[in-house]
Amino acid sequence: MNDTARRPWIGPAVAGGLVFLLHAALAAWVPSSRFLKYPLAAKQLLAGELPTERLTDFSPLYLELNVWAARVSGAPELVILVLQLVLIGLSAGLLYTLLRRTFPAPLAVAGVALFAVDRHLLVYGRVLEPEAVMLALLLLAVLLLERGRGVPGALGAGVVAGLSIVTRPTFLPIFLLVPIFFAWRDGITPKAPWLRRSAVFLVPVLLAGSLLALRAQRATGDAGTPAMNPGTVFFEGNNPLSRGTSAVYPPVVLHYTRHAGTVPDAAHTFYRTVARGAAGDPDLEVTQVNGFWSRHATAFLLDHPGHALGLALDKLLHAFHSFRWHDIPNGWTYESRLPFPAPPFAVLSSLALLGLLFEARRWRRSLLFYVLAASQIGVMLVFYVSARQRMVLLPALIYFAAAALTSIWNLDRRRRILWLGLAVALALALALPNHAMRDETYLQRSYAEAQTRLDQVREASKTQPLARHPELAVVALASGPRWFDWMRPPYFPEGPGHGGPLEGQVADGILARMETLPAHMLPSARFDRAWLLLRAGRTDEAAEILESLVESGERFYRGSLQPSEPLLLLARARHRSGRTDDAVDLLRRALDVSPGNPFVLADLVALTGDAEARELLFTYWSEPDAHFALGRAALFYDRPGVALGELGPLVAMLPEFREARVLLAAALAGVDRVEEGAREMLAANSIREEPILEAERVCDLFRRWAELHLDNPEVQLLAARGLHQHGRFEDALVLLDGMGVAPAGLADRAERLRRQLTAH
């Protein structure tokens, strides 16, 4: 890859071509999991099925590229993938050119080689997301700014910068600083050429920003949020449950996304659903929705500055650590299929950090790379760190690593050894996983296993009753027990219970199966087991595990899906053992460790009626999320009247939120309002039949409802269907046997249900 004076394009062309061939070969050889948010949105847009306000949820340029691909080809996903592979090759050529301007050819070649095989690029160059486009545009903008002189160069750089902004608007602040770059690079002369270049550069940049605002105005009537919902993303990276990595949805939004169907990137839609439900205004504007969520996160950060600082430091660590946080679930799965080991990202990061120091003496030549690095790190500090976002940081890291190697090589032997020793020490520090990273590895592996088993469940259910395959449900839920309330399917048989809310064949099978898994002794697996034991009523066993986990100081992470604080679960175990004062003390300790945690706050309110904890819950979380957490906690502590006061308003705000209706039905049953509870449960089932929640309370509701209407065959049939749904087949048959004479149509339905029950 040697440049020549007469043919300077050879090196970049060879570099780009080889990288393109490598990535194309891997794309053909290693199948990737399909993540088709943009192709799906493009198809819906062309069909007139995408709501207009949803245009602001996507990268404008990348969405238009997908629309174009859908128009010109019958295989638009392939067209976009090929385009991304070409852009990756182009990025490699641009990176080689930029490196070669400053460093010797061997370092430029090594930098491009490292770029080519980096896991971030290999994974997210394949995922149909805007990062590959963004990377190529940013590198081209940097090259044009460095090489361009005069008005034409400034105009070309401005056009590319404008396209970058139309891809991801978060880079607009960077390009607004380019006039400072012109002034520092060229100096401020009497004729002030930097002013003219700055004006020419900024014209297309500001035009791009104006077009985004105009597009948003036409789509939503509001130009304030041109694209990609910064307010909701800010909440995802800074709410009380966030660890600064990947997106952490609030509980209600998370449950909604489980059943999004064909809605692309559905969380954006449900953030609006929740905010509008809380405000009682179905026309709440997109900017107001973003403000709604960002205010909750900001209130939390302002109340807990120490936590905010710790969160920022965690994000900074994750920006450079060797561990890759995937904010797209399939990213980890695809990475695990790559046929060669990962390059040492910690070594690259450590050298890059040293290069940032070495280049400070020559900051003018590296100014744009400083700006590129600072801007992307700034984006991650404001929002959150993920492997996908780190992909854009890769060229800057490679550049500063090359700068560090060059500077260290030019030192005398003694200082060279010292700096290399520092680099090694720093690399080791950035390679060692912490609690959160070990827990994430466990979660990702169990997620992949659970999804595989659930696919088998779905396939089996196409030809046979689900109840013939309880072992598949057991294996799936044992692999990912944290998903229990989120994905537990209906119609699996449940035998006689053990006195707890989690019972029967499935529960016993899950707990037994977990002991056979390779990871069963890991702290994360032991935590999941303790959670299931507690739900099964096996309190002493759960408490023993939780005590050891609390003593070890291990931390776990389940987002807003389920409680992940061992102190909280230990408090629940203490309460069940009759030690309520100890439970309250443990909850207050949990709140010190995890301030703003909605599960801890809700339990504290349920046990003590703490008004301050309740106020904090509504301050840091949306009103629906707060009611949801309080309702569930009240049911756990067997306070159905309290739960009713929380869940009634929640259902009024979000009538299509099935989980709230199920919990409301259980609460109504608990205060002997059986008729209303049955109606709520039927309404919940009209929305969807899964997941199964509060099975014991709901089954008791159906039995009591049937007892109140012994002379009503239709009620008997509906109650039998409800028991069947929850796996109580024998109880359902008893109700059918006692129906007596029913009208012809009703009798036919009852007979069909009987055949289903006996087929199991």
Side-chain angles (χ1 to χ4, degrees):
M1 288 193 214
N2 292 323
D3 287 306
T4 67
R6 294 166 56 183
R7 301 180 190 176
W9 53 267
I10 290 180
V14 171
L18 290 176
V19 172
F20 167 78
L21 290 174
L22 171 65
H23 281 253
L26 283 172
W29 183 26
V30 183
S32 66
S33 300
R34 295 169 66 81
F35 184 80
L36 302 177
K37 175 179 80 178
Y38 278 91
L40 177 59
K43 291 175 183 176
Q44 292 182 357
L45 182 60
L46 288 172
E49 299 170 355
L50 190 73
T52 304
E53 75 172 6
R54 295 233 53 206
L55 292 175
T56 61
D57 297 343
F58 304 96
S59 162
L61 179 61
Y62 195 71
L63 179 59
E64 289 303 318
L65 286 174
N66 278 269
V67 169
W68 164 79
R71 281 176 173 155
V72 302
S73 171
E77 295 92 346
L78 180 60
V79 171
I80 294 297
L81 176 59
V82 171
L83 174 63
Q84 290 188 184
L85 295 175
V86 170
L87 289 175
I88 288 171
L90 174 63
S91 297
L94 293 169
L95 179 61
Y96 177 83
T97 302
L98 288 165
L99 292 174
R100 191 66 185 91
R101 284 172 58 83
T102 307
F103 306 112
L107 272 183
V109 171
V112 171
L114 186 59
F115 176 80
V117 298
D118 185 85
R119 281 294 204 268
H120 302 81
L121 192 68
L122 288 170
V123 173
Y124 292 102
R126 294 282 307 282
V127 173
L128 301 189
E129 284 279 305
E131 272 60 40
V133 177
M134 193 72 234
L135 187 63
L137 289 173
L138 285 174
L139 284 170
L140 183 56
V142 169
L143 182 63
L144 290 174
L145 285 169
E146 284 207 343
R147 298 185 66 172
R149 290 292 187 270
V151 171
L155 180 61
V159 169
V160 175
L163 291 173
S164 300
I165 292 165
V166 177
T167 304
R168 283 210 183 274
T170 49
F171 285 92
L172 177 60
I174 307 169
F175 293 119
L176 293 178
L177 297 176
V178 165
I180 299 175
F181 165 74
F182 283 141
W184 283 350
R185 186 189 67 178
D186 303 331
I188 302 177
T189 65
K191 294 184 179 180
W194 69 275
L195 283 175
R196 185 168 59 254
R197 291 173 189 157
S198 299
V200 170
F201 172 83
L202 288 175
V203 166
V205 171
L206 296 177
L207 178 61
S210 300
L211 289 174
L212 286 178
L214 179 62
R215 179 177 181 266
Q217 178 69 36
R218 294 182 63 183
T220 66
D222 178 13
T225 305
M228 311 199 79
N229 299 303
T232 59
V233 180
F234 179 75
F235 180 86
E236 290 170 1
N238 297 280
N239 68 63
L241 290 178
S242 176
R243 61 187 171 190
T245 60
S246 303
V248 179
Y249 299 149
V252 175
V253 171
L254 178 66
H255 280 80
Y256 264 122
T257 60
R258 171 71 176 88
H259 304 281
T262 58
V263 179
D265 208 7
H268 291 300
T269 296
F270 298 130
Y271 270 115
R272 290 172 196 152
T273 300
V274 173
R276 288 165 177 167
D281 181 3
D283 299 318
L284 199 67
E285 294 179 345
V286 173
T287 297
Q288 293 173 301
V289 171
N290 278 274
F292 172 89
W293 290 105
S294 63
R295 282 193 299 274
H296 284 294
T298 301
F300 169 68
L301 296 177
L302 291 177
D303 282 354
H304 301 279
H307 180 89
L309 177 61
L311 183 62
L313 293 175
D314 282 343
K315 292 178 183 179
L316 197 59
L317 170 66
H318 298 318
F320 294 100
H321 199 280
S322 202
F323 192 86
R324 283 172 287 279
W325 298 92
H326 294 289
D327 62 343
I328 292 177
N330 295 330
W332 188 90
T333 304
Y334 176 61
E335 181 180 343
S336 66
R337 296 172 180 168
L338 293 174
F340 46 81
F345 188 80
V347 174
L348 173 63
S349 291
S350 64
L351 288 172
L353 288 169
L354 297 182
L356 288 167
L357 297 176
F358 281 118
E359 281 297 286
R361 295 171 297 174
R362 299 178 292 272
W363 61 268
R364 289 180 186 272
R365 79 172 188 178
S366 303
L367 179 59
L368 288 177
F369 280 100
Y370 273 113
V371 171
L372 177 59
S375 61
Q376 187 60 8
I377 292 171
V379 167
M380 291 189 285
L381 288 176
V382 170
F383 299 110
Y384 58 81
V385 179
S386 71
R388 184 162 57 104
Q389 290 177 320
R390 248 182 11 184
M391 173 178 159
V392 178
L393 188 61
L394 193 57
L397 295 180
I398 291 172
Y399 177 89
F400 285 110
L405 289 173
T406 301
S407 297
I408 291 172
W409 183 258
N410 291 329
L411 297 173
D412 60 63
R413 184 174 181 274
R414 179 174 173 275
R415 289 194 297 166
R416 187 186 307 160
I417 293 173
L418 288 175
W419 280 103
L420 287 175
L422 178 60
V424 170
L426 189 55
L428 289 174
L430 293 174
L432 295 175
N434 57 24
H435 292 324
M437 296 167 189
R438 289 192 293 270
D439 189 47
E440 179 69 9
T441 299
Y442 163 82
L443 294 178
Q444 293 289 358
R445 287 175 177 165
S446 64
Y447 172 83
E449 175 69 13
Q451 288 300 314
T452 298
R453 301 303 182 182
L454 281 176
D455 287 343
Q456 295 175 3
V457 170
R458 296 185 187 100
E459 190 63 30
S461 68
K462 293 178 181 178
T463 57
Q464 293 179 310
L466 286 175
R468 291 189 181 177
H469 303 280
E471 73 285 351
L472 294 179
V474 165
V475 172
L477 294 171
S479 300
R482 67 191 179 283
W483 305 109
F484 193 89
D485 283 340
W486 206 54
M487 69 180 187
R488 185 181 175 191
Y491 303 113
F492 281 97
E494 283 282 7
H498 299 289
L502 175 64
E503 62 168 23
Q505 211 178 116
V506 173
D508 289 341
I510 291 171
L511 290 165
R513 168 73 180 178
M514 287 183 71
E515 293 183 351
T516 70
L517 297 177
H520 78 281
M521 289 303 294
L522 291 176
S524 297
R526 294 173 62 223
F527 174 81
D528 281 347
R529 180 172 177 79
W531 179 73
L532 288 170
L533 286 167
L534 184 61
R535 291 194 53 161
R538 295 158 64 175
T539 306
D540 292 342
E541 294 175 72
E544 183 179 355
I545 296 173
L546 291 166
E547 286 170 354
S548 67
L549 293 175
V550 168
E551 186 177 347
S552 69
E554 290 279 352
R555 302 298 307 277
F556 308 97
Y557 188 76
R558 304 296 181 267
S560 60
L561 189 64
Q562 70 177 59
S564 56
E565 178 52 61
L567 286 164
L568 167 61
L569 297 189
L570 186 56
R572 291 183 174 184
R574 291 285 184 263
H575 175 265
R576 282 197 171 168
S577 300
R579 298 163 60 181
T580 301
D581 290 342
D582 289 348
V584 173
D585 290 341
L586 287 166
L587 288 174
R588 298 201 184 281
R589 283 176 58 192
L591 208 54
D592 290 336
V593 173
S594 181
N597 187 309
F599 301 104
V600 178
L601 288 170
D603 275 38
L604 199 55
V605 173
L607 270 184
T608 68
D610 190 317
E612 183 181 357
R614 181 182 176 84
E615 182 181 357
L616 290 176
L617 189 55
F618 282 87
T619 300
Y620 302 153
W621 299 90
S622 75
E623 195 171 347
D625 287 309
H627 284 306
F628 186 50
L630 289 167
R632 297 197 78 169
L635 283 174
F636 177 84
Y637 291 105
D638 200 24
R639 298 181 179 180
V642 176
L644 191 62
E646 304 293 346
L647 296 166
L650 175 57
V651 170
M653 291 176 194
L654 302 173
E656 296 303 314
F657 184 31
R658 177 186 185 270
E659 285 81 351
R661 285 190 175 275
V662 174
L663 298 178
L664 179 58
L668 287 165
V671 294
D672 293 325
R673 292 162 62 178
V674 175
E675 294 287 351
E676 295 171 75
R679 287 198 296 272
E680 279 298 332
M681 195 60 220
L682 294 177
N685 283 341
S686 70
I687 298 170
R688 228 176 21 256
E689 289 193 325
E690 62 179 11
I692 296 299
L693 299 171
E694 294 292 339
E696 197 61 20
R697 286 188 172 97
V698 170
C699 288
D700 182 61
L701 170 65
F702 280 126
R703 293 187 192 100
R704 291 165 61 192
W705 189 41
E707 289 172 3
L708 291 175
H709 297 278
L710 293 175
D711 58 347
N712 188 329
E714 185 168 9
V715 169
Q716 301 296 307
L717 175 59
L718 290 172
R721 288 181 61 183
L723 292 169
H724 175 217
Q725 175 193 1
H726 288 76
R728 280 25 177 222
F729 301 152
E730 292 183 5
D731 291 351
L733 283 169
V734 168
L735 290 184
L736 290 180
D737 290 339
M739 275 183 62
V741 179
L746 202 61
D748 290 343
R749 288 160 52 195
E751 184 58 31
R752 285 196 297 271
L753 178 57
R754 185 186 301 277
R755 287 197 296 269
Q756 291 175 354
L757 289 165
T758 55
H760 297 321

